[in-house]
Amino acid sequence: ADMSRWIPVNIGISFFHDAIAFNRQNNVLLNITYPLEISGAGRLGIGVGVGMVNFGMNPEWVPPTTAVDNTLPTAYSATNLDLNFGLYFKGTQDYYVGLSSTHLSESALTSTGSGFNVTTYNTARHYYLMGGKTFKDFLGSNGDIETNALVRTDFVKMSMDFNARYLWNNLLYGGLTYRTSDAIAIMVGGHPIQNLTIGYSYDITINKLSSISKGSHEILLKYCYYLPPIPIQKSKHPRWL
C-alpha cells in the first residue's frame, strides 16, 4: 500500500482541571487537526475539539443562624457536551496568525435538585486571536527577535498580551510581556541541550492589587520528543515491473 495517500490528520487528547473555592471543573477533549498546504503562502491548520465538560461543587456553608438557607446552592455535579474550533495559519515569511473559540456549545450544567436547590452553571463561549512574527538575525546579530500578541474575550471582558523576546544563537533568551490591566513579566531562559527548554519569569502586578501583591514566579520546564517520520511502504507485483 502507498502510505503517501494517507490523509495527514493529527490527533490528540487534552485534559484540563480547574479548582476555585468550592468549584471544580474538568474538561476532556479529543482534538483533531487537518493541515492544508497553500501553495506559495504557507500552511493552514483546521482544528476541532469534541469532548465533555464536568462542573461540580461541594460547598460547606456557615450561615449566621442554625436554620438551613434553601437559597444557597448545595453539592452537585453535572456533565455535558463541549466543543472547540480553531484556525491556524503559518506563513512562509516567519509569521503566524490564529483564531479559535472554546465552549462553542455553551452547555448548561444543571443539578438534579428541585425548588431553590436547583443549580445551573453555563459555559461561556470564548474567542481567541493571536499572531506573531520572527525577525531573523536582528540587526546583523546572531539572534532573533520573536514577537507575538494574544487577544481573548467573551464579549463581556477582554484581555490582551504583548510579548517580545530576544533569542541568542538559539541558546539563551530574555524578554518582556505586558498584559493589559494586570501585569508586566520579565522572562529569561535557554536551551541547555537539544529539545530541552528551561525558563523563568516574574510577574509584576500593575493593577489595583499591586499594594498587596508581591507578584508571582513561574518556572518552565519543557522537553520535546519528535516522533520519527512514517516510513513510506510500497508493494509491487511482477506483472507491473
Side-chain angles (χ1 to χ4, degrees):
D2 187 352
M3 303 289 287
S4 63
R5 296 177 180 269
W6 285 21
I7 300 176
V9 173
N10 303 302
I11 300 176
I13 297 176
S14 62
F15 172 74
F16 172 81
H17 172 74
D18 190 23
I20 302 177
F22 299 145
N23 302 329
R24 299 293 184 270
Q25 180 176 331
N26 297 284
N27 290 74
V28 179
L29 289 165
L30 174 65
N31 304 295
I32 302 174
T33 64
Y34 176 77
L36 180 63
E37 294 288 345
I38 301 178
S39 179
R43 173 180 289 188
L44 175 65
I46 305 171
V48 176
V50 181
M52 66 178 186
V53 55
N54 171 268
F55 180 82
M57 64 171 61
N58 187 22
E60 297 179 2
W61 303 110
V62 182
T65 65
T66 57
V68 176
D69 188 347
N70 289 326
T71 62
L72 294 176
T74 58
Y76 93 100
S77 178
T79 303
N80 208 336
L81 175 70
D82 198 24
L83 297 173
N84 297 341
F85 178 77
L87 299 172
Y88 178 82
F89 179 76
K90 184 174 179 60
T92 57
Q93 300 299 318
D94 296 316
Y95 74 92
Y96 64 88
V97 62
L99 175 65
S100 62
S101 178
T102 58
H103 306 312
L104 282 172
S105 53
E106 292 192 319
S107 301
L109 302 162
T110 306
S111 68
T112 57
S114 60
F116 287 109
N117 290 327
V118 175
T119 303
T120 299
Y121 174 84
N122 290 87
T123 58
R125 187 178 300 143
H126 285 65
Y127 300 90
Y128 303 86
L129 175 65
M130 67 176 183
K133 182 173 175 57
T134 300
F135 300 90
K136 296 287 188 179
D137 298 323
F138 185 70
L139 297 179
S141 65
N142 291 327
D144 305 333
I145 293 289
E146 298 177 345
T147 61
N148 58 72
L150 170 65
V151 180
R152 44 186 173 260
T153 181
D154 60 353
F155 290 119
V156 177
K157 295 289 186 177
M158 182 176 67
S159 176
M160 294 183 289
D161 287 7
F162 300 94
N163 312 283
R165 71 172 187 170
Y166 178 75
L167 179 61
W168 176 76
N169 206 28
N170 200 33
L171 182 63
L172 301 173
Y173 71 82
L176 294 172
T177 293
Y178 170 67
R179 183 177 301 112
T180 56
S181 304
D182 184 30
I184 296 175
I186 302 172
M187 303 179 293
V188 293
H191 309 285
I193 61 175
Q194 188 178 10
N195 300 341
L196 176 65
T197 301
I198 299 176
Y200 166 80
S201 70
Y202 176 65
D203 288 13
I204 304 171
T205 306
I206 60 174
N207 56 24
K208 294 181 179 180
L209 297 176
S210 60
S211 60
I212 59 173
S213 173
K214 301 300 182 181
S216 61
H217 304 270
E218 297 182 15
I219 298 175
L220 167 68
L221 179 63
K222 181 177 73 172
Y223 181 80
C224 295
Y225 175 77
Y226 296 97
L227 297 176
I230 300 176
I232 299 177
Q233 300 179 1
K234 296 182 179 180
S235 61
K236 296 181 180 180
H237 193 280
R239 171 179 286 182
W240 308 111
L241 291 178

